[in-house]
């Protein structure tokens, strides 16, 4: 069984060995390292049950291009593991990461003009198209097809209209029974204190008035000059004259 995962620095010797076994185009170790350090999201390896790297894809982003796009620097699968769809899986993984991580519009690669198996994979399975022919591209002077695979356009999500938020209403005070009882007790205490103050003022006023000033109101029916009754002999009738 073969699994596909993202390449790490520890995989670089295995990737280089796979390249030397399968391809005439070889690279120094620092070139692999440069790709992995600059674009760690884009390179993947295929690993068998024993942990051996049986395939890889080495990819990068073209930084100085007018529109963002990726480039497949190298892809290889050991001969005994071909025709299992490993190359297709490696390339699709790299394609998706170019879109997700860098917003790439397309991906490009070079392939030998006489490599019919690779041309069938790129054109028929993955949707690449020949963009140009570069003569004498390889060291042995063979021509190369410069191919491109366009990615689906990213659909822009509609921008939601933001309406200004209404001012928040003041939070209602909770009618807690304990708080209500405490408020009533405070009001009652204040009322009692006020009553005590009034009583104290009345007592002070009563103490300041002299006893002689406490008189009964005059009888409006009494005649002028008549002496007021002092209450002595009140209720008795008039006495008869002595003969």
């Amino acid at each position: 069984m073969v699994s596909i995962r993202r390449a790490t620095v520890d995989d670089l010797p295995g990737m280089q060995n796979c390249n030397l076994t399968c391809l005439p185009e070889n690279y120094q170790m620092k070139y692999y390292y440069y790709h992995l350090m600059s674009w760690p999201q884009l390179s993947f390896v295929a690993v068998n049950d024993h942990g051996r790297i049986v395939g890889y894809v080495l990819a990068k982003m073209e930084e100085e291009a007018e529109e963002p796009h990726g480039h497949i620097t190298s892809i290889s699968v050991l001969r005994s593991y071909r025709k299992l769809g490993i190359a297709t899986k490696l390339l699709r993984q790299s394609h998706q990461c170019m879109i997700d991580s860098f917003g790439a519009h397309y991906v490009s690669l070079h392939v030998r003009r006489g490599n019919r198996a690779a041309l069938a994979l790129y054109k028929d399975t993955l949707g690449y198209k020949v963009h140009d022919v570069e003569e004498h591209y390889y060291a042995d002077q063979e021509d190369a097809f410069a191919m491109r695979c366009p990615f689906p356009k990213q659909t822009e999500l509609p921008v939601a209209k933001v309406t200004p938020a209404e001012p928040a209403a003041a939070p209602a005070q909770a009618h807690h029974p304990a708080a209500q009882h405490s408020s009533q007790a405070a009001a009652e205490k204040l009322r009692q204190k006020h009553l005590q103050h009034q009583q104290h003022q009345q007592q002070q006023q009563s103490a300041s008035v002299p006893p002689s000033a406490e008189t009964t109101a005059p009888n409006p029916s009494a005649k002028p000059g008549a002496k007021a009754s002092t209450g002595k002999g009140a209720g008795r009738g008039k006495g008869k004259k002595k003969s």
Side-chain angles (χ1 to χ4, degrees), residues 105-117:
H105 294 181
Y106 65 91
V107 59
S108 63
L109 56 77
H110 292 92
V111 60
R112 286 178 176 270
R113 191 167 193 165
N115 193 341
R116 295 181 180 180

Side-chain angles (χ1 to χ4, degrees), residues 40-155:
Q41 308 94 327
L42 304 183
S43 296
F44 289 82
V45 292
V47 185
N48 65 8
D49 292 336
H50 303 288
R52 181 189 179 190
I53 293 176
V54 298
Y56 74 90
V57 59
L58 189 68
K60 65 177 182 177
M61 290 296 297
E62 294 291 358
E63 298 178 338
E64 298 180 359
E66 293 183 359
E67 58 179 334
H69 68 275
H71 182 77
I72 303 299
T73 301
S74 178
I75 180 170
S76 179
V77 177
L78 294 179
R79 188 175 298 275
S80 57
Y81 287 88
R82 293 177 185 175
K83 298 188 180 299
L84 298 176
I86 295 175
T88 301
K89 293 177 182 179
L90 287 168
L91 286 167
R92 284 178 173 167
Q93 285 278 10
S94 185
H95 290 178
Q96 190 61 49
C97 289
M98 290 175 184
I99 298 171
D100 296 342
S101 300
F102 300 98
H105 294 181
Y106 65 91
V107 59
S108 63
L109 56 77
H110 292 92
V111 60
R112 286 178 176 270
R113 191 167 193 165
N115 193 341
R116 295 181 180 180
L119 282 169
L121 170 66
Y122 300 145
K123 294 174 66 175
D124 301 337
T125 304
L126 298 170
Y128 279 79
K129 295 180 180 180
V130 175
H131 176 71
D132 196 7
V133 178
E134 299 188 21
E135 296 181 353
H136 313 301
Y137 179 81
Y138 293 98
D140 58 2
Q141 302 302 307
E142 185 175 355
D143 296 342
F145 285 129
M147 306 187 74
R148 291 184 179 182
C149 176
F151 293 143
K153 292 184 178 180
Q154 302 294 317
T155 56

Side-chain angles (χ1 to χ4, degrees), residues 12-13 15-17 19-20 25-36 56 58 73:
L12 295 182
M15 294 168 66
Q16 187 182 42
N17 181 67
N19 170 264
L20 293 171
E25 295 80 37
N26 309 128
Y27 314 103
Q28 295 182 358
M29 180 57 69
K30 63 181 181 181
Y31 194 60
Y32 292 92
Y33 190 81
Y34 165 70
H35 276 69
L36 209 60
Y56 74 90
L58 189 68
T73 301

